Amino acid sequence: MSSRLDLIVRGGSVITPAGVTKADVGVAGTHFAVVAPDIHESAAREIDATGLHVFPGILDAHVHFNEPGRAEWEGLASGSAALAAGGGTWFADMPLNSTPPVTDAATFAAKRRLAEQKAVTDFSLWGGLVPGNLDQLAELRDAGAIGLKAFLCGSGIDDFPGITDAATLRAGLKRAAELELLVAVHAEDDALANKLTAAARARGATDARAWLATRPMEVELSAIKLALELAGETRCALHLVHVSSSEGLALVAQAKAAGVDVTAETCPHYLLLNEEETVRQGAPAKCAPPLRPEAVRQKLWRALDDGRVDTLGSDHSPAPPELKTAPDFFAVWGGISGIQHGFPLLLSEALERDPDALPRLAALLSDNVARRFRLPGKGRLRAGSDADFVLLDLNGEQTLQNRDLLYRHRQGPYDGRRCSVRVMETFVRGQTVWGEGRIAPGAPKGHFLRPTPKAHA
Ligand SMILES: [Zn+2]
């Protein structure tokens, strides 16, 4: 019996969606073997976690690591390292910004091979839903895509066109539903955004405030409405990424009540930053949908507290500094780099609002993600699950600094922010990936995960 466990974490406060309990956590090989008040066995490695919290590994279903093809923007190695440093143990990489984008089985296989060589956390991959690839959706499903991603507006990337008409979207959702593939959509109304942009440009506008005004909340709400309507009609599972307002979440709640299979993600940056940060910081705080006015941000927190958000994803989307420096703000590349500091800072600020928020956050960051993306071995601190977890110091007062970022480009919108939550150590399948302030030398590479078929989920 004494040699059964390889690792015991003793005396920490263990967080599950059900609550926080003082417990020991025993790991055998790559799995949790036991979570109990007192483990009497011993193990090769024992960690005294007194005063620390044991949190499930964060599952980030929304990242852009840009490899292959744009590794100079981020890369699978640096991106996954930054994820682990921020408490993450799994990511799902979006089909675009890598080039070629992932819109068929061959491009999927190429990215999978690279990620298996480079990622330090487990991972899954999104396929793209673009005009003209209906006949490639089955092979993407068979290759193990976690779902399909579509843009309802231009994506900013020429080789990944948006689906900007209802008929094409309807056909895509219908085919995805037949294949039991979930579809994630970037919801912004292309026609409305273009109209507002053209008007601003005609006036000669170039500054951040003028750019913000071209993507008001109505642009997002209009596209959310269309996506919900067509998901209901086609019975396609829908995941709305980066919903930036409680108004958007209210539309999702209505659709859920009407039987639509839909979930909503928001991102730490919509909770941690408001649009004045876009004006003040410029490029590092530019994203679409944009950061919102302070009152909208406050209401988004309340919606999160009330359980109207399903998942949190980073939408980590870096670009090289030279794309972030145009004097014309409209020409500055959008995308917020937040995968390393965003989650700890979110935990820190959520706990300041509500000291009892940890179980809810564990659901949003782990359990709900594993359920929605049908990863039954992930997301929970319980016997039998993969031993993916994080040791957190909730009194680890620090000032976040961009110079500590592991990104390819040390750019981010949280420089100088005070954060009370510190990620002490991150474990993937029972192995330390991040610890002592660095990626563990010889950390094993991550595994590729495909969603469990629906009938078995
Ligand atoms: Zn994204």
Side-chain angles (χ1 to χ4, degrees), residues 334-371:
I336 285 183
S337 297
I339 203 170
Q340 184 173 334
H341 286 162
F343 294 127
L345 186 58
L346 181 92
L347 287 164
S348 175
E349 303 222 343
L351 289 169
E352 227 166 87
R353 294 171 55 83
D354 174 10
D356 297 324
L358 284 170
R360 195 161 70 239
L361 292 161
L364 287 161
L365 290 163
S366 299
D367 191 35
N368 291 359
V369 184
R371 288 170 192 270

PDB file of all heavy atoms in Angstrom, residues 334-371:
ATOM      1  N   GLY A 334      -5.237  44.177 -33.426  1.00  0.00           N
ATOM      2  CA  GLY A 334      -5.983  43.925 -32.198  1.00  0.00           C
ATOM      3  C   GLY A 334      -5.606  42.592 -31.567  1.00  0.00           C
ATOM      4  O   GLY A 334      -5.035  41.722 -32.221  1.00  0.00           O
ATOM      5  N   GLY A 335      -5.941  42.449 -30.298  1.00  0.00           N
ATOM      6  CA  GLY A 335      -5.663  41.192 -29.593  1.00  0.00           C
ATOM      7  C   GLY A 335      -4.963  41.489 -28.284  1.00  0.00           C
ATOM      8  O   GLY A 335      -4.005  42.257 -28.261  1.00  0.00           O
ATOM      9  N   ILE A 336      -5.459  40.897 -27.205  1.00  0.00           N
ATOM     10  CA  ILE A 336      -4.875  41.122 -25.884  1.00  0.00           C
ATOM     11  C   ILE A 336      -4.081  39.890 -25.470  1.00  0.00           C
ATOM     12  O   ILE A 336      -4.550  38.762 -25.604  1.00  0.00           O
ATOM     13  CB  ILE A 336      -5.983  41.462 -24.866  1.00  0.00           C
ATOM     14  CG1 ILE A 336      -6.442  42.905 -25.105  1.00  0.00           C
ATOM     15  CG2 ILE A 336      -5.501  41.259 -23.428  1.00  0.00           C
ATOM     16  CD1 ILE A 336      -7.479  43.427 -24.153  1.00  0.00           C
ATOM     17  N   SER A 337      -2.872  40.124 -24.991  1.00  0.00           N
ATOM     18  CA  SER A 337      -2.040  39.044 -24.470  1.00  0.00           C
ATOM     19  C   SER A 337      -2.276  38.955 -22.970  1.00  0.00           C
ATOM     20  O   SER A 337      -1.845  39.829 -22.222  1.00  0.00           O
ATOM     21  CB  SER A 337      -0.558  39.332 -24.734  1.00  0.00           C
ATOM     22  OG  SER A 337      -0.314  39.378 -26.118  1.00  0.00           O
ATOM     23  N   GLY A 338      -2.969  37.900 -22.548  1.00  0.00           N
ATOM     24  CA  GLY A 338      -3.333  37.861 -21.126  1.00  0.00           C
ATOM     25  C   GLY A 338      -3.248  36.505 -20.469  1.00  0.00           C
ATOM     26  O   GLY A 338      -3.671  36.337 -19.329  1.00  0.00           O
ATOM     27  N   ILE A 339      -2.692  35.526 -21.158  1.00  0.00           N
ATOM     28  CA  ILE A 339      -2.841  34.158 -20.653  1.00  0.00           C
ATOM     29  C   ILE A 339      -2.079  33.916 -19.348  1.00  0.00           C
ATOM     30  O   ILE A 339      -2.463  33.056 -18.564  1.00  0.00           O
ATOM     31  CB  ILE A 339      -2.413  33.150 -21.746  1.00  0.00           C
ATOM     32  CG1 ILE A 339      -3.063  31.788 -21.501  1.00  0.00           C
ATOM     33  CG2 ILE A 339      -0.911  33.022 -21.828  1.00  0.00           C
ATOM     34  CD1 ILE A 339      -2.895  30.819 -22.646  1.00  0.00           C
ATOM     35  N   GLN A 340      -1.035  34.677 -19.096  1.00  0.00           N
ATOM     36  CA  GLN A 340      -0.219  34.406 -17.898  1.00  0.00           C
ATOM     37  C   GLN A 340      -0.708  35.173 -16.672  1.00  0.00           C
ATOM     38  O   GLN A 340      -0.814  34.603 -15.592  1.00  0.00           O
ATOM     39  CB  GLN A 340       1.248  34.749 -18.183  1.00  0.00           C
ATOM     40  CG  GLN A 340       2.186  34.399 -17.028  1.00  0.00           C
ATOM     41  CD  GLN A 340       3.649  34.590 -17.395  1.00  0.00           C
ATOM     42  OE1 GLN A 340       4.021  34.513 -18.567  1.00  0.00           O
ATOM     43  NE2 GLN A 340       4.481  34.848 -16.405  1.00  0.00           N
ATOM     44  N   HIS A 341      -1.008  36.440 -16.834  1.00  0.00           N
ATOM     45  CA  HIS A 341      -1.402  37.251 -15.683  1.00  0.00           C
ATOM     46  C   HIS A 341      -2.915  37.378 -15.520  1.00  0.00           C
ATOM     47  O   HIS A 341      -3.397  37.726 -14.451  1.00  0.00           O
ATOM     48  CB  HIS A 341      -0.786  38.652 -15.796  1.00  0.00           C
ATOM     49  CG  HIS A 341       0.692  38.666 -15.499  1.00  0.00           C
ATOM     50  ND1 HIS A 341       1.512  39.707 -15.882  1.00  0.00           N
ATOM     51  CD2 HIS A 341       1.489  37.772 -14.861  1.00  0.00           C
ATOM     52  CE1 HIS A 341       2.760  39.450 -15.475  1.00  0.00           C
ATOM     53  NE2 HIS A 341       2.763  38.287 -14.874  1.00  0.00           N
ATOM     54  N   GLY A 342      -3.664  37.127 -16.582  1.00  0.00           N
ATOM     55  CA  GLY A 342      -5.111  37.362 -16.531  1.00  0.00           C
ATOM     56  C   GLY A 342      -5.839  36.496 -15.514  1.00  0.00           C
ATOM     57  O   GLY A 342      -6.702  36.983 -14.780  1.00  0.00           O
ATOM     58  N   PHE A 343      -5.510  35.203 -15.476  1.00  0.00           N
ATOM     59  CA  PHE A 343      -6.242  34.316 -14.559  1.00  0.00           C
ATOM     60  C   PHE A 343      -5.915  34.606 -13.084  1.00  0.00           C
ATOM     61  O   PHE A 343      -6.828  34.732 -12.268  1.00  0.00           O
ATOM     62  CB  PHE A 343      -5.999  32.848 -14.917  1.00  0.00           C
ATOM     63  CG  PHE A 343      -6.574  32.445 -16.263  1.00  0.00           C
ATOM     64  CD1 PHE A 343      -5.783  31.825 -17.218  1.00  0.00           C
ATOM     65  CD2 PHE A 343      -7.911  32.692 -16.570  1.00  0.00           C
ATOM     66  CE1 PHE A 343      -6.312  31.447 -18.458  1.00  0.00           C
ATOM     67  CE2 PHE A 343      -8.446  32.317 -17.800  1.00  0.00           C
ATOM     68  CZ  PHE A 343      -7.639  31.694 -18.749  1.00  0.00           C
ATOM     69  N   PRO A 344      -4.626  34.699 -12.695  1.00  0.00           N
ATOM     70  CA  PRO A 344      -4.353  35.036 -11.288  1.00  0.00           C
ATOM     71  C   PRO A 344      -4.970  36.378 -10.872  1.00  0.00           C
ATOM     72  O   PRO A 344      -5.521  36.505  -9.775  1.00  0.00           O
ATOM     73  CB  PRO A 344      -2.816  35.092 -11.216  1.00  0.00           C
ATOM     74  CG  PRO A 344      -2.345  34.251 -12.360  1.00  0.00           C
ATOM     75  CD  PRO A 344      -3.389  34.397 -13.435  1.00  0.00           C
ATOM     76  N   LEU A 345      -4.913  37.361 -11.777  1.00  0.00           N
ATOM     77  CA  LEU A 345      -5.472  38.671 -11.433  1.00  0.00           C
ATOM     78  C   LEU A 345      -6.995  38.594 -11.312  1.00  0.00           C
ATOM     79  O   LEU A 345      -7.602  39.211 -10.434  1.00  0.00           O
ATOM     80  CB  LEU A 345      -5.052  39.715 -12.473  1.00  0.00           C
ATOM     81  CG  LEU A 345      -5.451  41.158 -12.171  1.00  0.00           C
ATOM     82  CD1 LEU A 345      -4.888  41.640 -10.837  1.00  0.00           C
ATOM     83  CD2 LEU A 345      -4.991  42.100 -13.300  1.00  0.00           C
ATOM     84  N   LEU A 346      -7.608  37.809 -12.183  1.00  0.00           N
ATOM     85  CA  LEU A 346      -9.051  37.621 -12.089  1.00  0.00           C
ATOM     86  C   LEU A 346      -9.424  36.970 -10.756  1.00  0.00           C
ATOM     87  O   LEU A 346     -10.365  37.405 -10.072  1.00  0.00           O
ATOM     88  CB  LEU A 346      -9.554  36.754 -13.238  1.00  0.00           C
ATOM     89  CG  LEU A 346     -11.070  36.576 -13.160  1.00  0.00           C
ATOM     90  CD1 LEU A 346     -11.758  37.642 -13.973  1.00  0.00           C
ATOM     91  CD2 LEU A 346     -11.506  35.208 -13.564  1.00  0.00           C
ATOM     92  N   LEU A 347      -8.676  35.930 -10.372  1.00  0.00           N
ATOM     93  CA  LEU A 347      -8.937  35.277  -9.083  1.00  0.00           C
ATOM     94  C   LEU A 347      -8.772  36.285  -7.946  1.00  0.00           C
ATOM     95  O   LEU A 347      -9.598  36.360  -7.031  1.00  0.00           O
ATOM     96  CB  LEU A 347      -7.968  34.101  -8.883  1.00  0.00           C
ATOM     97  CG  LEU A 347      -8.240  32.855  -9.740  1.00  0.00           C
ATOM     98  CD1 LEU A 347      -7.023  31.935  -9.758  1.00  0.00           C
ATOM     99  CD2 LEU A 347      -9.454  32.097  -9.222  1.00  0.00           C
ATOM    100  N   SER A 348      -7.709  37.065  -8.026  1.00  0.00           N
ATOM    101  CA  SER A 348      -7.430  38.047  -6.993  1.00  0.00           C
ATOM    102  C   SER A 348      -8.586  39.039  -6.847  1.00  0.00           C
ATOM    103  O   SER A 348      -9.081  39.302  -5.744  1.00  0.00           O
ATOM    104  CB  SER A 348      -6.120  38.765  -7.355  1.00  0.00           C
ATOM    105  OG  SER A 348      -5.842  39.803  -6.459  1.00  0.00           O
ATOM    106  N   GLU A 349      -9.045  39.577  -7.959  1.00  0.00           N
ATOM    107  CA  GLU A 349     -10.106  40.597  -7.891  1.00  0.00           C
ATOM    108  C   GLU A 349     -11.458  39.982  -7.545  1.00  0.00           C
ATOM    109  O   GLU A 349     -12.271  40.597  -6.852  1.00  0.00           O
ATOM    110  CB  GLU A 349     -10.143  41.403  -9.190  1.00  0.00           C
ATOM    111  CG  GLU A 349      -8.781  42.034  -9.445  1.00  0.00           C
ATOM    112  CD  GLU A 349      -8.795  43.468  -9.942  1.00  0.00           C
ATOM    113  OE1 GLU A 349      -9.845  43.936 -10.417  1.00  0.00           O
ATOM    114  OE2 GLU A 349      -7.730  44.107  -9.857  1.00  0.00           O
ATOM    115  N   ALA A 350     -11.691  38.756  -7.998  1.00  0.00           N
ATOM    116  CA  ALA A 350     -12.950  38.086  -7.651  1.00  0.00           C
ATOM    117  C   ALA A 350     -13.012  37.823  -6.154  1.00  0.00           C
ATOM    118  O   ALA A 350     -14.069  37.972  -5.518  1.00  0.00           O
ATOM    119  CB  ALA A 350     -13.088  36.776  -8.422  1.00  0.00           C
ATOM    120  N   LEU A 351     -11.867  37.450  -5.560  1.00  0.00           N
ATOM    121  CA  LEU A 351     -11.842  37.171  -4.119  1.00  0.00           C
ATOM    122  C   LEU A 351     -11.975  38.442  -3.300  1.00  0.00           C
ATOM    123  O   LEU A 351     -12.506  38.427  -2.188  1.00  0.00           O
ATOM    124  CB  LEU A 351     -10.562  36.423  -3.750  1.00  0.00           C
ATOM    125  CG  LEU A 351     -10.528  34.980  -4.238  1.00  0.00           C
ATOM    126  CD1 LEU A 351      -9.140  34.378  -4.086  1.00  0.00           C
ATOM    127  CD2 LEU A 351     -11.565  34.139  -3.490  1.00  0.00           C
ATOM    128  N   GLU A 352     -11.507  39.539  -3.861  1.00  0.00           N
ATOM    129  CA  GLU A 352     -11.703  40.814  -3.175  1.00  0.00           C
ATOM    130  C   GLU A 352     -13.187  41.179  -3.123  1.00  0.00           C
ATOM    131  O   GLU A 352     -13.674  41.723  -2.144  1.00  0.00           O
ATOM    132  CB  GLU A 352     -10.927  41.901  -3.921  1.00  0.00           C
ATOM    133  CG  GLU A 352     -10.105  42.795  -3.023  1.00  0.00           C
ATOM    134  CD  GLU A 352      -9.120  43.588  -3.851  1.00  0.00           C
ATOM    135  OE1 GLU A 352      -9.503  44.669  -4.331  1.00  0.00           O
ATOM    136  OE2 GLU A 352      -7.976  43.105  -4.042  1.00  0.00           O
ATOM    137  N   ARG A 353     -13.891  40.852  -4.197  1.00  0.00           N
ATOM    138  CA  ARG A 353     -15.335  41.114  -4.237  1.00  0.00           C
ATOM    139  C   ARG A 353     -16.103  40.159  -3.333  1.00  0.00           C
ATOM    140  O   ARG A 353     -17.095  40.528  -2.721  1.00  0.00           O
ATOM    141  CB  ARG A 353     -15.872  40.933  -5.665  1.00  0.00           C
ATOM    142  CG  ARG A 353     -15.363  41.922  -6.671  1.00  0.00           C
ATOM    143  CD  ARG A 353     -15.795  41.509  -8.082  1.00  0.00           C
ATOM    144  NE  ARG A 353     -17.247  41.340  -8.195  1.00  0.00           N
ATOM    145  CZ  ARG A 353     -18.098  42.338  -8.405  1.00  0.00           C
ATOM    146  NH1 ARG A 353     -17.649  43.563  -8.558  1.00  0.00           N
ATOM    147  NH2 ARG A 353     -19.391  42.105  -8.486  1.00  0.00           N
ATOM    148  N   ASP A 354     -15.662  38.885  -3.333  1.00  0.00           N
ATOM    149  CA  ASP A 354     -16.395  37.857  -2.598  1.00  0.00           C
ATOM    150  C   ASP A 354     -15.414  36.768  -2.153  1.00  0.00           C
ATOM    151  O   ASP A 354     -14.965  35.966  -2.968  1.00  0.00           O
ATOM    152  CB  ASP A 354     -17.479  37.247  -3.509  1.00  0.00           C
ATOM    153  CG  ASP A 354     -18.175  36.066  -2.844  1.00  0.00           C
ATOM    154  OD1 ASP A 354     -17.962  35.829  -1.639  1.00  0.00           O
ATOM    155  OD2 ASP A 354     -18.948  35.381  -3.547  1.00  0.00           O
ATOM    156  N   PRO A 355     -15.103  36.725  -0.864  1.00  0.00           N
ATOM    157  CA  PRO A 355     -14.125  35.734  -0.366  1.00  0.00           C
ATOM    158  C   PRO A 355     -14.580  34.288  -0.581  1.00  0.00           C
ATOM    159  O   PRO A 355     -13.765  33.380  -0.495  1.00  0.00           O
ATOM    160  CB  PRO A 355     -14.019  36.051   1.140  1.00  0.00           C
ATOM    161  CG  PRO A 355     -14.598  37.420   1.290  1.00  0.00           C
ATOM    162  CD  PRO A 355     -15.580  37.619   0.194  1.00  0.00           C
ATOM    163  N   ASP A 356     -15.867  34.078  -0.857  1.00  0.00           N
ATOM    164  CA  ASP A 356     -16.371  32.712  -1.070  1.00  0.00           C
ATOM    165  C   ASP A 356     -16.469  32.339  -2.547  1.00  0.00           C
ATOM    166  O   ASP A 356     -17.173  31.402  -2.925  1.00  0.00           O
ATOM    167  CB  ASP A 356     -17.757  32.559  -0.428  1.00  0.00           C
ATOM    168  CG  ASP A 356     -17.702  32.756   1.070  1.00  0.00           C
ATOM    169  OD1 ASP A 356     -16.689  32.332   1.684  1.00  0.00           O
ATOM    170  OD2 ASP A 356     -18.639  33.337   1.638  1.00  0.00           O
ATOM    171  N   ALA A 357     -15.762  33.071  -3.397  1.00  0.00           N
ATOM    172  CA  ALA A 357     -15.929  32.886  -4.840  1.00  0.00           C
ATOM    173  C   ALA A 357     -15.182  31.674  -5.408  1.00  0.00           C
ATOM    174  O   ALA A 357     -15.408  31.299  -6.563  1.00  0.00           O
ATOM    175  CB  ALA A 357     -15.479  34.149  -5.593  1.00  0.00           C
ATOM    176  N   LEU A 358     -14.294  31.062  -4.628  1.00  0.00           N
ATOM    177  CA  LEU A 358     -13.419  30.039  -5.211  1.00  0.00           C
ATOM    178  C   LEU A 358     -14.147  28.870  -5.895  1.00  0.00           C
ATOM    179  O   LEU A 358     -13.779  28.498  -7.014  1.00  0.00           O
ATOM    180  CB  LEU A 358     -12.434  29.519  -4.160  1.00  0.00           C
ATOM    181  CG  LEU A 358     -11.271  30.476  -3.860  1.00  0.00           C
ATOM    182  CD1 LEU A 358     -10.491  30.000  -2.635  1.00  0.00           C
ATOM    183  CD2 LEU A 358     -10.330  30.614  -5.056  1.00  0.00           C
ATOM    184  N   PRO A 359     -15.152  28.270  -5.269  1.00  0.00           N
ATOM    185  CA  PRO A 359     -15.826  27.164  -5.959  1.00  0.00           C
ATOM    186  C   PRO A 359     -16.445  27.593  -7.294  1.00  0.00           C
ATOM    187  O   PRO A 359     -16.380  26.870  -8.294  1.00  0.00           O
ATOM    188  CB  PRO A 359     -16.913  26.731  -4.958  1.00  0.00           C
ATOM    189  CG  PRO A 359     -16.380  27.165  -3.634  1.00  0.00           C
ATOM    190  CD  PRO A 359     -15.655  28.459  -3.905  1.00  0.00           C
ATOM    191  N   ARG A 360     -17.025  28.786  -7.300  1.00  0.00           N
ATOM    192  CA  ARG A 360     -17.632  29.299  -8.535  1.00  0.00           C
ATOM    193  C   ARG A 360     -16.556  29.491  -9.611  1.00  0.00           C
ATOM    194  O   ARG A 360     -16.750  29.174 -10.778  1.00  0.00           O
ATOM    195  CB  ARG A 360     -18.304  30.633  -8.194  1.00  0.00           C
ATOM    196  CG  ARG A 360     -19.253  31.133  -9.204  1.00  0.00           C
ATOM    197  CD  ARG A 360     -20.181  32.175  -8.592  1.00  0.00           C
ATOM    198  NE  ARG A 360     -19.525  33.419  -8.266  1.00  0.00           N
ATOM    199  CZ  ARG A 360     -19.477  33.958  -7.037  1.00  0.00           C
ATOM    200  NH1 ARG A 360     -20.062  33.347  -6.016  1.00  0.00           N
ATOM    201  NH2 ARG A 360     -18.868  35.092  -6.832  1.00  0.00           N
ATOM    202  N   LEU A 361     -15.415  29.992  -9.194  1.00  0.00           N
ATOM    203  CA  LEU A 361     -14.332  30.217 -10.158  1.00  0.00           C
ATOM    204  C   LEU A 361     -13.767  28.901 -10.667  1.00  0.00           C
ATOM    205  O   LEU A 361     -13.396  28.786 -11.841  1.00  0.00           O
ATOM    206  CB  LEU A 361     -13.232  31.075  -9.516  1.00  0.00           C
ATOM    207  CG  LEU A 361     -13.692  32.506  -9.243  1.00  0.00           C
ATOM    208  CD1 LEU A 361     -12.796  33.181  -8.211  1.00  0.00           C
ATOM    209  CD2 LEU A 361     -13.702  33.321 -10.532  1.00  0.00           C
ATOM    210  N   ALA A 362     -13.716  27.894  -9.789  1.00  0.00           N
ATOM    211  CA  ALA A 362     -13.249  26.580 -10.236  1.00  0.00           C
ATOM    212  C   ALA A 362     -14.185  26.020 -11.302  1.00  0.00           C
ATOM    213  O   ALA A 362     -13.752  25.396 -12.275  1.00  0.00           O
ATOM    214  CB  ALA A 362     -13.140  25.625  -9.052  1.00  0.00           C
ATOM    215  N   ALA A 363     -15.466  26.253 -11.136  1.00  0.00           N
ATOM    216  CA  ALA A 363     -16.421  25.809 -12.151  1.00  0.00           C
ATOM    217  C   ALA A 363     -16.180  26.543 -13.466  1.00  0.00           C
ATOM    218  O   ALA A 363     -16.072  25.933 -14.534  1.00  0.00           O
ATOM    219  CB  ALA A 363     -17.856  26.032 -11.668  1.00  0.00           C
ATOM    220  N   LEU A 364     -16.055  27.867 -13.403  1.00  0.00           N
ATOM    221  CA  LEU A 364     -15.899  28.680 -14.623  1.00  0.00           C
ATOM    222  C   LEU A 364     -14.594  28.391 -15.358  1.00  0.00           C
ATOM    223  O   LEU A 364     -14.528  28.451 -16.584  1.00  0.00           O
ATOM    224  CB  LEU A 364     -15.919  30.169 -14.257  1.00  0.00           C
ATOM    225  CG  LEU A 364     -17.278  30.736 -13.867  1.00  0.00           C
ATOM    226  CD1 LEU A 364     -17.097  32.042 -13.105  1.00  0.00           C
ATOM    227  CD2 LEU A 364     -18.108  30.960 -15.125  1.00  0.00           C
ATOM    228  N   LEU A 365     -13.536  28.117 -14.592  1.00  0.00           N
ATOM    229  CA  LEU A 365     -12.207  27.976 -15.186  1.00  0.00           C
ATOM    230  C   LEU A 365     -11.858  26.528 -15.503  1.00  0.00           C
ATOM    231  O   LEU A 365     -10.931  26.280 -16.270  1.00  0.00           O
ATOM    232  CB  LEU A 365     -11.143  28.548 -14.237  1.00  0.00           C
ATOM    233  CG  LEU A 365     -11.163  30.070 -14.074  1.00  0.00           C
ATOM    234  CD1 LEU A 365     -10.381  30.500 -12.838  1.00  0.00           C
ATOM    235  CD2 LEU A 365     -10.571  30.741 -15.319  1.00  0.00           C
ATOM    236  N   SER A 366     -12.583  25.577 -14.914  1.00  0.00           N
ATOM    237  CA  SER A 366     -12.196  24.177 -15.110  1.00  0.00           C
ATOM    238  C   SER A 366     -13.380  23.260 -15.394  1.00  0.00           C
ATOM    239  O   SER A 366     -13.546  22.768 -16.508  1.00  0.00           O
ATOM    240  CB  SER A 366     -11.447  23.663 -13.869  1.00  0.00           C
ATOM    241  OG  SER A 366     -10.281  24.408 -13.667  1.00  0.00           O
ATOM    242  N   ASP A 367     -14.207  23.036 -14.393  1.00  0.00           N
ATOM    243  CA  ASP A 367     -15.234  22.005 -14.519  1.00  0.00           C
ATOM    244  C   ASP A 367     -16.207  22.280 -15.662  1.00  0.00           C
ATOM    245  O   ASP A 367     -16.507  21.388 -16.465  1.00  0.00           O
ATOM    246  CB  ASP A 367     -15.982  21.883 -13.182  1.00  0.00           C
ATOM    247  CG  ASP A 367     -16.869  20.660 -13.138  1.00  0.00           C
ATOM    248  OD1 ASP A 367     -16.481  19.627 -13.719  1.00  0.00           O
ATOM    249  OD2 ASP A 367     -17.955  20.729 -12.533  1.00  0.00           O
ATOM    250  N   ASN A 368     -16.691  23.501 -15.753  1.00  0.00           N
ATOM    251  CA  ASN A 368     -17.648  23.819 -16.828  1.00  0.00           C
ATOM    252  C   ASN A 368     -17.012  23.645 -18.207  1.00  0.00           C
ATOM    253  O   ASN A 368     -17.675  23.244 -19.167  1.00  0.00           O
ATOM    254  CB  ASN A 368     -18.138  25.266 -16.717  1.00  0.00           C
ATOM    255  CG  ASN A 368     -19.018  25.505 -15.511  1.00  0.00           C
ATOM    256  OD1 ASN A 368     -19.286  24.590 -14.746  1.00  0.00           O
ATOM    257  ND2 ASN A 368     -19.453  26.751 -15.342  1.00  0.00           N
ATOM    258  N   VAL A 369     -15.730  23.967 -18.299  1.00  0.00           N
ATOM    259  CA  VAL A 369     -15.025  23.849 -19.583  1.00  0.00           C
ATOM    260  C   VAL A 369     -14.918  22.369 -19.966  1.00  0.00           C
ATOM    261  O   VAL A 369     -15.208  21.975 -21.099  1.00  0.00           O
ATOM    262  CB  VAL A 369     -13.622  24.489 -19.492  1.00  0.00           C
ATOM    263  CG1 VAL A 369     -12.926  24.451 -20.852  1.00  0.00           C
ATOM    264  CG2 VAL A 369     -13.721  25.923 -18.978  1.00  0.00           C
ATOM    265  N   ALA A 370     -14.519  21.544 -18.993  1.00  0.00           N
ATOM    266  CA  ALA A 370     -14.386  20.108 -19.265  1.00  0.00           C
ATOM    267  C   ALA A 370     -15.722  19.503 -19.679  1.00  0.00           C
ATOM    268  O   ALA A 370     -15.796  18.663 -20.583  1.00  0.00           O
ATOM    269  CB  ALA A 370     -13.850  19.401 -18.025  1.00  0.00           C
ATOM    270  N   ARG A 371     -16.799  19.957 -19.037  1.00  0.00           N
ATOM    271  CA  ARG A 371     -18.119  19.429 -19.385  1.00  0.00           C
ATOM    272  C   ARG A 371     -18.548  19.866 -20.780  1.00  0.00           C
ATOM    273  O   ARG A 371     -19.014  19.057 -21.579  1.00  0.00           O
ATOM    274  CB  ARG A 371     -19.172  19.911 -18.387  1.00  0.00           C
ATOM    275  CG  ARG A 371     -19.073  19.257 -17.030  1.00  0.00           C
ATOM    276  CD  ARG A 371     -20.006  20.009 -16.070  1.00  0.00           C
ATOM    277  NE  ARG A 371     -19.757  19.616 -14.704  1.00  0.00           N
ATOM    278  CZ  ARG A 371     -20.371  18.605 -14.096  1.00  0.00           C
ATOM    279  NH1 ARG A 371     -21.271  17.903 -14.735  1.00  0.00           N
ATOM    280  NH2 ARG A 371     -20.087  18.310 -12.840  1.00  0.00           N
TER     281      ARG A 371
END
